Amino acid sequence: MTSVSDPVERSAVDTTDPEIAREVLDEAYGSTLRLTGDLHHVSFARADAGAFAVDHVDLGTELTYDCDPLGYLTILEGRRGWAEYTRAGVTDQAGPGELVAIAGPGDAYSGRSDNLTVRGISLGWELVEDAVRDLRGDRPSAPVRFRRYQPADRASLLHWGNLVDYVEELLAGPEPVSPRALDAVGRLLARTALVTFGTDAAEHSVGEDNRDRRDAASDAVRRAVAHIEASADVELSLAELADAARVAPRSLQLAFRRHLGTTPMAYARRVRLDQARRHLLAAVDGETVTSIASRWGFYNHGRFAAEYREAYGENPGDTLAR
């Protein structure tokens, strides 16, 4: 049970009752979802920080949706299964390891999914407007419009995943998180969402981008990320990354926390894990999980399998079999 001093409200529902499942999901997302399909088992867990929430959802069946506009900007990371969403004339599909924003403000949407398990972030639209003001200096005169509903590149996807990992670790810590810290985290999530999915607000933040380019810490992060990308098949040490970034190890750790919301080693490991997944999906005859894991620097194969399941919601062998 959440303590009185903890501003984060936690809830979980695991039900085989279709009506309860529909009520829980409609209430969670502030909309009428009109789900069609056999809702024989739905699992929903939420950590609600007020302006934003972190969800884990397992629908576990084939469903179709015909939905009213959501009360939140909801961004989903696929862990298992797949989903398809159509809104504003655009259709996107997302599977394990992929990221999608369900819809923009005021957009009704339709879609379908099969055996879907996701991690989601829901951001209040007021929080998103506050992020626009942070970037541009004023509130938007019209609803925020996204140029796309999936990240433009893999780096953006990884940045988002690492940020949400950090947020979950923060919320799950032994001590309650202060309201001021939650406000800062919410703003960081909203600003990152604006950049990840492309908006006018993100493009108008040129002045801030120029300041970042002059920021030595930001330069160090870019050098380290470039080295990680170029050496994704080997397990790098913090000392090696610091040398590549031309800063002290501690400075690099602080810079990664500031700019990416994660650590250099966690970022590097996620890049290698992502590369291993891509290799598994494109494997040729004769390749095995063990050979592919070793190719990307994972020599403890039990640990690799555990991390892979945590990241993508399935065993690496299941990915290879597809």
Side-chain angles (χ1 to χ4, degrees):
M1 182 174 180
T2 304
S3 66
V4 175
S5 60
D6 191 343
V8 178
E9 295 184 5
R10 295 171 175 84
S11 59
V13 175
D14 194 306
T15 182
T16 57
D17 187 319
E19 292 307 313
I20 292 177
R22 289 186 174 90
E23 290 176 7
V24 167
L25 294 172
D26 283 357
E27 182 178 354
Y29 296 112
S31 177
T32 301
L33 302 182
R34 291 188 293 277
L35 304 176
T36 303
D38 182 14
L39 284 170
H40 64 273
H41 183 203
V42 170
S43 175
F44 176 84
R46 165 167 285 190
D48 191 339
F52 71 91
V54 183
D55 301 329
H56 286 267
V57 187
D58 185 352
L59 298 179
T61 188
E62 187 172 355
L63 297 172
T64 60
Y65 327 117
D66 177 22
C67 308
D68 294 334
L70 295 174
Y72 304 88
L73 169 60
T74 299
I75 300 168
L76 303 180
E77 291 177 83
R79 295 297 180 86
R80 187 186 66 191
W82 63 270
E84 178 181 276
Y85 301 97
T86 299
R87 56 312 206 209
V90 177
T91 298
D92 293 299
Q93 291 187 344
E98 297 179 315
L99 189 67
V100 62
I102 291 183
D107 289 337
Y109 72 97
S110 60
R112 56 199 180 105
S113 67
D114 187 17
N115 200 28
L116 186 65
T117 299
V118 295
R119 176 173 69 172
I121 289 286
S122 292
L123 304 167
W125 288 116
E126 184 175 352
L127 180 62
V128 176
E129 291 181 357
D130 285 343
V132 172
R133 183 185 60 193
D134 289 344
L135 291 170
R136 289 196 333 195
D138 62 349
R139 279 189 176 276
S141 57
V144 176
R145 308 308 302 180
F146 292 95
R147 297 189 181 279
R148 56 186 174 269
Y149 299 95
Q150 291 189 294
D153 51 45
R154 188 169 62 87
S156 297
L157 185 152
L158 288 172
H159 292 171
W160 179 263
N162 288 333
L163 174 58
V164 179
D165 287 346
Y166 167 71
V167 172
E168 283 211 285
E169 289 175 10
L170 182 70
L171 298 185
E175 298 297 328
V177 185
S178 72
R180 175 176 289 186
L182 289 176
D183 179 68
V185 168
R187 287 177 179 271
L188 177 59
L189 284 166
R191 290 179 62 170
T192 304
L194 293 176
V195 174
T196 299
F197 297 101
T199 62
D200 290 338
E203 293 179 2
H204 288 164
S205 62
V206 175
E208 179 170 328
D209 289 344
N210 287 338
R211 286 194 298 274
D212 280 348
R213 278 192 276 271
R214 294 193 298 268
D215 188 315
S218 181
D219 289 341
V221 170
R222 277 192 287 272
R223 287 192 290 267
V225 166
H227 188 69
I228 289 169
E229 296 283 352
S231 310
D233 57 341
V234 297
E235 187 168 4
L236 299 166
S237 68
L238 179 59
E240 288 174 298
L241 289 176
D243 284 344
R246 302 198 293 274
V247 295
R250 178 59 177 164
S251 296
L252 186 63
Q253 289 178 315
L254 293 173
F256 262 73
R257 281 294 187 192
R258 175 183 174 189
H259 291 281
L260 300 182
T262 187
T263 67
M265 301 309 294
Y267 183 93
R269 198 164 185 86
R270 186 56 185 259
V271 166
R272 290 192 292 114
L273 198 64
D274 186 61
Q275 292 286 9
R277 175 173 176 76
R278 290 173 181 271
H279 194 154
L280 286 165
L281 288 169
V284 299
D285 288 345
E287 290 187 304
T288 66
V289 170
T290 298
S291 68
I292 291 172
S294 298
R295 165 68 177 80
W296 295 102
F298 293 98
Y299 301 107
N300 183 328
H301 301 131
R303 183 181 175 191
F304 168 73
E307 290 186 13
Y308 192 94
R309 283 193 299 272
E310 175 65 23
Y312 305 114
E314 63 181 5
N315 290 314
D318 296 333
T319 305
L320 180 63
R322 288 211 305 278

